[in-house]
Amino acid sequence: MPKSKKSSNSSINLTEPQYYINRELSWLEFNNRVLHEACDPRTPLLERLKFLAIFSSNLDEFFMVRVAALKQQVEAKVTKLSPDGRTPQQQLDDIRLHLIPKVTQQHQHFEQSIRPLLANHGIHILNYINLNQKQRNYLDSYFEDQIFPVLTPLAVDPSHPFPYISNLSLNLAVVVKNPDTDEEFFARVKVPSVLPRFLPLPPELGIQLENGQPAHWTGVPLEQAIAHNLDSLFPGMNIQEYHPFRITRDADLTLEEDEADDLLLAIEQELRKRRIGGNPVRIEIQSQTPEPVRTRLLQDLELTENDVYEVDGLVGLRDLMYFMALPLPELKDPPRQSVVPMRLQRLREPSLDPDVLELDEGKDFFSVIREKDLFVHHPYQSFSATVVRFITHAAHDPNVLAIKMTLYRTSGDSPIVNALIAAAENGKQVSVLVELKARFDEENNIYWARRLERVGVHVVYGLVGLKTHCKTVMVVRREKDRMRRYVHIGTGNYNPKTARLYTDLGLFSCREELGADITDLFNFLTGYSRQKSYRELLVAPVNMRDRFLELIRREITNVQNGLTGRIVAKMNSLVDPQIITHLYEASRAGVQIDLIIRGICCLRPGLPELSENIRVISIIGRFLEHSRMYYFYNNGQEEIYIGSADWMSRNLDRRVEVITPIRDQDIAKDLQEILGIMLADNRQAWDLQGDGTYVQRRPGNDCPEANSQITLMNMSLRSTNVTTNLMDAKKSASVTDN
């Protein structure tokens, strides 16, 4: 029941800074939950190693984008405060204050806990100094044959300026002495990224298990093999010391789209700049690095002590992902086989003969969709047997005349792109919007755009000032005396690889309203249409923000009229101040609100007289919780939506996004059930506190609030194919904000 009802005309100013959590600190709290998975003994050992690597790779991107942007604001003397009232410099200071103990925790956990556990299970990451002579001889020979030819030592002196240090590169700062003059010199050796970070020893030279068999893996970090062979790089000099260090640079693209005559060319030019990298924003060094070397690095890189992150042990733990390739299933999550939805089992393949296609009584993909809308839930249900199959069928079906699609991210060997190429070669009209501005995927998308263009696909690169982030496909098919439009609207990228790791939703439909809306959307994306209204879809930046605000206000009105108000929303991030303000108003009116937010949440739940009726959880675990769902009780006439957009200003105002209502009642019940399972989670759910910290739920907790919430939403928690094994395959932390 609502805890209180306050008039929205009360004197509380809902925009005051104390009612908002800082965006950057909220993201750091998310990454803390990733680190917790690495420290949780319930997580299989190699999965714990994976989460350590994810924690590091997440931080790399955070520094390359978010910290770099804050530093630019400081340099530009920006005075605008964040919604929580912090200056850019205060945010940088708070980020560092938060990160120093967490980075220390990460490295201590690896060195003191994970590394010994790996050794107990036959995975020995040794230090070079602990090798026996036979092992050293092997690595020294390997160095001469495989590593030495790749290395380029760079001296630093008046005639050799400090070399450029590339982004995310691992390096050795080397001090050498001339034995004739006792003069010391400084040099830099880059650890080549073209070689594996960890060098395995042959089984016969590796550590032996108790049963006499060789260990699963024995080896050393690449930089140590280089460091102990520096004499080969500096013959005649005495090696005094060496110290690993790693640089992070500003890597966000700066693109003046309005001034670009050719967007593709402009992005290619910016990518070349990124390879060089922007200004340094962080240096990682070992804590025992002596002061003279440390000072030299900071001076030459134009960094300050506030940019230094000390580590004890290996520098650059993101490379630990290397060990996930070891064939040791007993140290990983149990394998999980995606299933094919019942309605799609035993479908016939499309015939190349249109007469046969029309006369054959067997079902094809399109006839299944004609029966009723089809819902898919990845990775529990196969992406390849649903989305890829749909596009492949369309590519080879002679009755299909056109395919239109948006591509934000896809895999390097994409079967979807291959299907689109086949469709074009089969004479179909194929139009694809490839978003060239998808961060850190720009180069991959340029490659696919050019490949598609070469076979006659109409490729569009997006809209000036907007990223096209929606996930939509439309197939136009001739059926007897009419044209029918089939659509797929999803929450995740058309990427078969991440579809096995990310939890996402998709809807297949041939409803006329959706087909007409998707047609209008593609006209907006490819032409000069400025569509202002849609029949069914919520489309950003056209009508989505206003529609979401209307849906929240409707729940407020219902409560004010003595009815029940209820909102449940699941997304990746909640940042937008206007949405947060409306949620506060709804809570004060008595609307019950549950938010399932994996990452950033700037709203403070549970504050007296403000957000007492708002609860926020985050779920972190095996799969990346990437789907977006929005539920509104609507006085019993429940409405539920899925799509590509989070409640962030960038999604609502600066991206093309699509949210679709779910009209099929069976699908709506399945979605409510999924929400109900998540609200009841007491294994991998974290409750957000009003101060911005999170508390993890534990098995055995009764979660009475969650149970009452499920009842209020009329969730029966039925056992359906949609949620089969959902609880034992739950959730995952991740790398890229999509």
Side-chain angles (χ1 to χ4, degrees):
M1 294 297 294
K3 295 182 179 178
S4 63
K5 293 185 180 181
K6 300 290 182 181
S7 169
S8 59
N9 296 322
S10 177
S11 60
I12 291 180
N13 180 359
L14 298 179
T15 64
E16 290 182 9
Q18 67 264 31
Y19 300 140
Y20 294 84
I21 298 170
N22 180 264
R23 171 187 172 141
E24 317 305 343
L25 298 183
S26 181
W27 185 92
L28 292 175
E29 284 288 339
F30 155 70
N31 213 29
N32 290 349
R33 301 193 291 279
V34 176
L35 181 58
H36 181 274
E37 289 298 308
C39 300
D40 192 333
R42 297 173 297 179
T43 306
L45 183 56
L46 286 181
E47 303 293 340
R48 295 172 66 182
L49 201 66
K50 176 191 75 177
F51 280 110
L52 282 179
I54 291 173
F55 178 85
S56 288
S57 59
N58 281 353
L59 276 184
D60 287 345
E61 184 171 332
F62 181 73
F63 273 91
M64 289 189 290
V65 178
R66 301 302 304 178
V67 171
L70 288 171
K71 290 174 77 71
Q72 288 177 1
Q73 292 177 36
V74 171
E75 292 169 6
K77 295 182 170 52
V78 172
T79 58
K80 182 179 179 181
L81 302 181
S82 59
D84 62 296
R86 286 177 168 86
T87 67
Q89 185 59 58
Q90 286 173 329
Q91 292 181 76
L92 287 173
D93 294 341
D94 289 340
I95 287 169
R96 178 172 174 80
L97 187 65
H98 180 103
L99 272 181
I100 291 297
K102 290 301 176 181
V103 170
T104 299
Q105 177 187 351
Q106 178 202 21
H107 284 269
Q108 286 181 346
H109 184 68
F110 172 69
E111 295 294 339
Q112 300 173 13
S113 178
I114 298 296
R115 207 165 177 173
L117 283 172
L118 290 170
N120 291 342
H121 287 84
I123 303 170
H124 299 272
I125 307 173
L126 304 178
N127 292 319
Y128 189 95
I129 58 174
N130 299 128
L131 299 179
N132 60 40
Q133 194 57 51
K134 286 185 178 180
Q135 293 169 332
R136 292 189 181 201
N137 290 342
Y138 170 83
L139 284 178
D140 292 347
S141 176
Y142 183 88
F143 173 86
E144 291 296 330
D145 293 340
Q146 303 292 329
I147 304 175
F148 179 76
V150 182
L151 300 177
T152 303
L154 296 174
V156 181
D157 57 34
S159 62
H160 297 88
F162 191 84
Y164 182 85
I165 311 294
S166 56
N167 187 32
L168 302 183
S169 63
L170 183 61
N171 305 269
L172 297 178
V174 184
V175 178
V176 299
K177 178 185 286 188
N178 186 329
D180 298 328
T181 64
D182 282 343
E183 185 178 5
E184 288 190 345
F185 298 94
F186 184 89
R188 172 257 188 164
V189 177
K190 180 178 179 179
V191 178
S193 58
V194 294
L195 298 176
R197 172 71 191 279
F198 298 96
L199 301 179
L201 291 165
E204 63 272 16
L205 294 179
I207 293 177
Q208 303 298 305
L209 300 176
E210 292 181 358
N211 60 9
Q213 296 297 313
H216 301 304
W217 193 93
T218 305
V220 300
L222 173 61
E223 67 270 20
Q224 293 189 15
I226 296 172
H228 287 272
N229 284 276
L230 288 173
D231 288 338
S232 300
L233 294 173
F234 303 96
M237 304 292 281
N238 293 334
I239 308 301
Q240 299 298 104
E241 54 187 317
Y242 65 87
H243 304 282
F245 69 96
R246 185 173 182 266
I247 296 298
T248 311
R249 292 182 177 271
D250 180 352
D252 208 12
L253 293 186
T254 303
L255 190 65
E256 298 296 336
E257 294 183 61
D258 293 332
E259 301 176 8
D261 295 326
D262 186 325
L263 183 60
L264 182 65
L265 179 61
I267 290 180
E268 284 185 314
Q269 292 171 344
E270 285 299 316
L271 284 174
R272 283 192 284 271
K273 294 179 185 177
R274 177 190 282 172
R275 292 188 193 101
I276 299 172
N279 294 328
V281 294
R282 174 181 62 162
I283 181 171
E284 298 167 88
I285 60 176
Q286 290 184 328
S287 56
Q288 61 268 35
T289 303
E291 194 61 34
V293 173
R294 182 188 183 113
T295 301
R296 179 66 183 269
L297 289 171
L298 293 183
Q299 288 176 347
D300 287 326
L301 290 166
E302 298 181 350
L303 293 170
T304 70
E305 281 293 334
N306 284 337
D307 302 314
V308 177
Y309 285 81
E310 295 182 351
V311 302
D312 290 314
L314 293 178
V315 177
L317 294 187
R318 69 180 291 164
D319 296 325
L320 293 174
M321 195 65 79
Y322 164 91
F323 293 98
M324 285 301 292
L326 293 177
L328 298 171
E330 66 274 16
L331 300 181
K332 303 178 185 178
D333 286 324
R336 193 176 197 293
Q337 185 67 41
S338 298
V339 300
V340 179
M342 291 290 293
R343 291 174 58 197
L344 295 180
Q345 294 179 9
R346 295 185 298 277
L347 290 186
R348 62 175 171 78
E349 298 303 315
S351 169
L352 298 181
D353 184 344
D355 296 327
V356 172
L357 186 67
E358 292 297 331
L359 295 174
D360 192 331
E361 294 182 357
K363 289 185 178 180
D364 63 5
F365 208 116
F366 302 107
S367 63
V368 170
I369 299 174
R370 286 197 301 273
E371 289 176 348
K372 61 180 298 189
D373 290 356
L374 174 66
F375 167 67
V376 288
H377 189 191
H378 311 301
Y380 312 108
Q381 292 175 320
S382 169
F383 183 84
S384 297
T386 56
V387 177
V388 175
R389 193 175 191 181
F390 171 67
I391 298 170
T392 302
H393 275 216
H396 296 284
D397 185 337
N399 289 296
V400 168
L401 304 182
I403 302 173
K404 299 185 179 185
M405 183 176 189
T406 60
L407 274 180
Y408 190 72
R409 303 183 195 274
T410 191
S411 58
D413 54 349
S414 174
I416 288 177
V417 174
N418 292 333
L420 294 172
I421 291 172
E425 291 174 341
N426 289 336
K428 305 182 191 310
Q429 174 135 333
V430 182
S431 302
V432 180
L433 190 142
V434 179
E435 181 48 75
L436 299 183
K437 294 167 285 185
R439 182 179 290 147
F440 301 121
D441 250 5
E442 300 96 341
E443 193 165 9
N444 185 54
N445 286 1
I446 287 173
Y447 167 78
W448 287 122
R450 287 192 161 144
R451 186 173 171 193
L452 288 166
E453 283 182 322
R454 284 197 295 268
V455 297
V457 173
H458 299 296
V459 178
V460 181
Y461 300 134
L463 300 174
V464 173
L466 297 173
K467 280 187 180 181
T468 303
H469 188 248
C470 55
K471 328 295 183 183
T472 57
V473 178
M474 183 174 71
V475 172
V476 181
R477 189 171 187 264
R478 182 194 293 114
E479 296 177 356
K480 296 182 179 178
D481 58 349
R482 63 169 294 180
M483 295 289 187
R484 195 189 300 268
R485 290 171 289 203
Y486 296 84
V487 303
H488 171 267
I489 300 171
T491 67
N493 298 310
Y494 291 109
N495 187 326
K497 291 185 177 178
T498 57
R500 294 193 292 268
L501 305 172
Y502 292 10
T503 302
D504 272 305
L505 310 170
L507 176 73
F508 293 95
S509 179
C510 61
R511 288 192 290 113
E512 283 295 325
E513 297 85 354
L514 284 184
D517 274 355
I518 294 294
T519 298
D520 289 341
L521 174 70
F522 276 104
N523 289 342
F524 170 67
L525 293 174
T526 63
Y528 288 111
S529 165
R530 287 298 175 260
Q531 189 78 16
K532 296 299 183 182
S533 63
Y534 289 85
R535 301 156 188 82
E536 292 263 311
L537 296 179
L538 281 62
V539 177
V542 180
N543 67 345
M544 184 179 293
R545 174 186 289 279
D546 290 342
R547 183 61 180 146
F548 271 133
L549 295 179
E550 289 172 7
L551 292 170
I552 296 171
R553 285 195 292 264
R554 186 178 64 188
E555 298 300 314
I556 295 174
T557 300
N558 285 338
V559 170
Q560 290 172 341
N561 291 333
L563 304 172
T564 297
R566 186 80 170 94
I567 297 171
V568 181
K570 179 186 179 298
M571 67 200 82
N572 296 320
S573 297
L574 170 59
V575 175
D576 185 74
Q578 190 178 20
I579 294 284
I580 292 174
T581 298
H582 275 66
L583 291 173
Y584 283 152
E585 290 176 348
S587 172
R588 298 184 72 214
V591 177
Q592 293 292 304
I593 302 170
D594 279 279
L595 304 174
I596 305 167
I597 302 173
R598 184 196 77 212
I600 304 167
C601 180
C602 296
L603 174 149
R604 293 187 184 275
L607 299 184
E609 299 187 1
L610 180 72
S611 56
E612 291 173 293
N613 296 313
I614 302 178
R615 295 156 294 274
V616 181
I617 66 170
S618 172
I619 297 179
I620 303 291
R622 176 172 181 174
F623 296 126
L624 170 69
E625 275 301 330
H626 190 252
S627 58
R628 289 95 167 178
M629 285 182 274
Y630 302 94
Y631 167 93
F632 301 89
Y633 184 65
N634 190 26
N635 192 29
Q637 302 299 309
E638 299 160 304
E639 292 184 8
I640 193 162
Y641 299 77
I642 66 169
S644 60
D646 295 319
W647 279 346
M648 302 179 72
S649 300
R650 72 180 189 187
N651 296 93
L652 300 173
D653 301 329
R654 301 190 298 276
R655 290 185 173 187
V656 180
E657 305 274 13
V658 167
I659 297 284
T660 182
I662 300 300
R663 300 303 186 197
D664 184 284
Q665 291 305 304
D666 289 334
I667 296 176
K669 286 184 173 64
D670 287 338
L671 291 171
Q672 290 181 30
E673 183 172 348
I674 293 170
L675 289 173
I677 290 174
M678 291 180 176
L679 291 176
D681 184 293
N682 65 354
R683 165 62 177 86
Q684 291 176 308
W686 296 70
D687 289 299
L688 174 60
Q689 310 301 299
D691 63 358
T693 61
Y694 286 77
V695 175
Q696 189 181 36
R697 295 177 180 175
R698 294 289 178 179
N701 291 357
D702 292 334
C703 296
E705 279 194 335
N707 292 330
S708 66
Q709 294 153 17
I710 295 165
T711 302
L712 180 60
M713 290 181 60
N714 192 27
M715 293 178 180
S716 61
L717 293 182
R718 298 167 295 118
S719 297
T720 67
N721 289 331
V722 173
T723 52
T724 299
N725 296 329
L726 181 64
M727 295 298 290
D728 61 350
K730 280 260 210 71
K731 328 310 177 241
S732 170
S734 166
V735 183
T736 302
D737 176 12
N738 288 285

